[in-house]
Amino acid sequence: MQKLVRVKLSVEEYVREQFHKQMRPPSQCPNCGHIRRLWALGYYQRYTTGLLGKAIAILVRRFRCRDCKITVSCLPCFAQPYRLVNHTTLEAFIKGRHRQRDVQAQWDLLQRYLRRFAEWQPELLKIIGHRFGRASPKEEATAFWRRAVATCGSASQLTVLLVEQFGTTCFTTYRCHQAPFAQ
Ligand SMILES: [Zn+2]
């Protein structure tokens, strides 16, 4: 399973401070609900993007539950689940800051994200209802996305909310977020 962990660090700071080593296990197992049963299993490497939009490798902490044996990875919230571009750059793109260097660097991928978000929007609305206010059926994907980000405070907080409260993301629903005991 995957849990998004709120960290106040940039990607670069997370790497520099080796913050993956400081990541604490979630107190409750998201699968069986037992308390203080998760222990450190190791790390896996994945990529996200940094300040200038370039891909940066990060290590993600994994834990295993002593009781149900499920593994839980703790993804820092600047990174998106299963997507390369980080939340800060995604947010700049959604807000129309298209000339920003990191946005330019990942332009093609961000365009693909937008198309995917637009395709997913009807399904997403079925899941979340009017969580971000009543949407007009004609509202464009970008306008809806911008509104959702504004309501949550940031693109990162939007993803955290979707994962924690609805078990979904801006692009699809993943099995790893279907936690019966999500915190
Ligand atoms: Zn468990």
Side-chain angles (χ1 to χ4, degrees):
M1 312 197 92
Q2 185 184 69
K3 184 177 162 60
L4 258 81
V5 176
R6 291 172 179 82
V7 296
K8 287 184 178 159
L9 304 167
S10 66
V11 183
E12 286 81 1
E13 288 165 339
Y14 178 90
V15 172
R16 195 166 55 233
E17 295 178 19
Q18 299 195 311
F19 196 80
H20 56 275
K21 292 183 181 170
Q22 298 169 46
M23 197 65 87
R24 297 268 155 258
S27 58
Q28 184 181 30
C29 171
N31 185 54
C32 71
H34 294 175
I35 305 293
R36 285 198 283 279
R37 299 303 285 162
L38 293 160
W39 93 96
L41 185 64
Y43 308 96
Y44 70 88
Q45 182 181 281
R46 59 155 285 178
Y47 285 85
T48 184
T49 54
L51 200 59
L52 301 177
K54 288 186 186 150
I56 294 180
I58 60 165
L59 290 172
V60 178
R61 188 71 148 152
R62 292 172 80 216
F63 300 93
R64 191 194 290 276
C65 176
R66 287 180 203 274
D67 294 338
C68 72
K69 311 297 181 207
I70 202 138
T71 62
V72 183
S73 60
C74 288
L75 187 68
C77 67
F78 52 71
Q80 294 197 74
Y82 308 106
R83 310 253 158 189
L84 177 70
V85 180
N86 80 17
H87 276 120
T88 311
T89 300
L90 175 68
E91 184 173 326
F93 171 72
I94 296 167
K95 289 181 171 171
R97 297 187 195 131
H98 293 170
R99 295 176 70 179
Q100 209 167 286
R101 199 162 156 189
D102 52 334
V103 174
Q104 283 292 318
Q106 295 295 339
W107 185 253
D108 292 347
L109 204 45
L110 288 163
Q111 290 290 341
R112 264 195 271 165
Y113 290 177
L114 177 57
R115 282 196 295 276
R116 177 60 204 147
F117 180 79
E119 284 166 11
W120 175 241
Q121 188 181 351
E123 204 57 44
L124 180 62
L125 286 170
K126 281 186 208 161
I127 298 170
I128 66 172
H130 301 301
R131 181 62 180 76
F132 304 120
R134 197 167 282 272
S136 121
K138 293 249 163 65
E139 185 175 32
E140 284 194 16
T142 318
F144 169 61
W145 208 354
R146 207 174 284 170
R147 199 153 51 80
V149 166
T151 307
C152 294
S154 69
S156 161
Q157 284 173 275
L158 169 62
T159 301
V160 170
L161 180 141
L162 289 176
V163 167
E164 288 182 354
Q165 291 186 18
F166 300 100
T168 192
T169 70
C170 288
F171 306 105
T172 192
T173 293
Y174 297 101
R175 274 189 58 153
C176 69
H177 296 140
Q178 305 308 302
F181 291 94
Q183 288 170 313

